[in-house]
Amino acid sequence: MIEIPVYTADGKQSETLSLDEQLLGGEVRPSLLKQAYVMYHANRRQGSATTRGRGEVVGSTRKLYKQKGTGRARRGNVRTNVMRGGGVAFGKQARSFRQSMPTKMRRLATRNALLAKAIDGEIKVVDSFGNGEAPKTSKLAAVLSAIGINRTCLLAIGHEDRGTFLAARNLANVNTIQMDQINAYDLLSTRFLLVDKATLSGWLDAQKSAVKTIEEAA
């Protein structure tokens, strides 16, 4: 079990939260994490870069002058790539960079990325963000400073926690995501994961239920 400290809003440790390594994969799998990271990164590419070939540009197809006897280089029509305004030779064409990954592997990669962060001490858990107060960016920034977050941060929130989202959206180097949408790419792209205790505990309970269902089905 990995013991993760739980902090109050002023940066003082109040308790610890036990994290089961076996639930998160037991060990860090670098090859799985790389495969998942490359897949998510590739799926975010638009693939819309395109150029026009000689068959797509506007222009006459007439040969400019006869093949022999002029003393010039042999020349075709104005659409060739050596002419100004002609088509591009071997140019880029719109394509899909999308990759696929089995669902079980993708989910395991997410849990494994969380395990890697837990081992490195990069998961910061707070007991509560606002205690029911109105969302304030300055207050959330003070929380980040108090618990030692000075690099990029992924802030995981619950479905109903719109106040924390509003407070965090204007903070530099802070990305916000709902906890049930968390993935290996977002975890690996930021240094710290910041989440409140209730949200993380609920997510872990959901993972336990999912893993148990898979084991029973097998």
Side-chain angles (χ1 to χ4, degrees):
M1 301 291 279
I2 301 177
E3 298 295 329
I4 299 178
V6 179
Y7 299 96
T8 60
D10 56 0
K12 297 180 180 179
Q13 181 176 340
S14 59
E15 55 180 314
T16 59
L17 181 66
S18 297
L19 202 61
D20 186 3
E21 299 151 297
Q22 298 304 317
L23 176 63
L24 303 179
E27 61 179 349
V28 178
R29 298 171 171 81
S31 58
L32 175 65
L33 293 179
K34 179 181 179 180
Q35 182 179 350
Y37 189 91
V38 170
M39 179 206 65
Y40 282 111
H41 189 267
N43 292 349
R44 294 190 178 201
R45 297 184 65 177
Q46 281 188 321
S48 58
T50 184
T51 55
R52 291 182 180 180
R54 63 185 297 174
E56 299 169 310
V57 296
V58 176
S60 173
T61 58
R62 181 182 67 86
K63 188 174 174 64
L64 294 177
Y65 41 80
K66 64 181 183 177
Q67 179 81 353
K68 305 176 75 67
T70 64
R72 301 179 181 180
R74 290 165 289 190
R75 182 73 73 199
N77 58 50
V78 295
R79 297 187 185 186
T80 61
N81 62 293
V82 297
M83 297 290 289
R84 181 175 181 179
V88 178
F90 308 109
K92 294 182 179 180
Q93 296 297 319
R95 52 168 290 195
S96 173
F97 291 92
R98 189 162 189 83
Q99 299 181 16
S100 61
M101 191 174 182
T103 301
K104 290 183 180 179
M105 290 179 63
R106 189 172 68 249
R107 292 175 178 172
L108 178 59
T110 300
R111 298 197 301 271
N112 219 221
L114 196 69
L115 175 62
K117 286 216 172 299
I119 293 175
D120 293 338
E122 295 175 349
I123 298 180
K124 302 293 185 179
V125 182
V126 295
D127 50 12
S128 178
F129 284 114
N131 296 323
E133 300 177 3
K136 293 285 291 186
T137 300
S138 59
K139 292 181 180 179
L140 184 58
V143 173
L144 297 179
S145 178
I147 62 179
I149 295 181
N150 54 4
R151 302 286 294 277
T152 55
C153 172
L154 180 65
L155 175 59
I157 60 176
H159 278 285
E160 307 299 329
D161 199 359
R162 180 167 174 79
T164 304
F165 167 75
L166 294 175
R169 62 180 178 176
N170 201 34
L171 287 174
N173 298 324
V174 176
N175 297 326
T176 309
I177 190 173
Q178 289 187 2
M179 191 64 192
D180 60 353
Q181 296 178 356
I182 206 167
N183 56 74
Y185 180 85
D186 290 322
L187 286 170
L188 297 174
S189 297
T190 51
R191 174 61 62 89
F192 294 102
L193 171 66
L194 176 61
V195 61
D196 66 87
K197 180 183 175 182
T199 301
L200 180 58
S201 298
W203 186 84
L204 291 174
D205 291 340
Q207 298 305 307
K208 290 179 184 178
S209 300
V211 171
K212 183 178 180 180
T213 302
I214 293 174
E215 291 176 350
E216 291 176 350

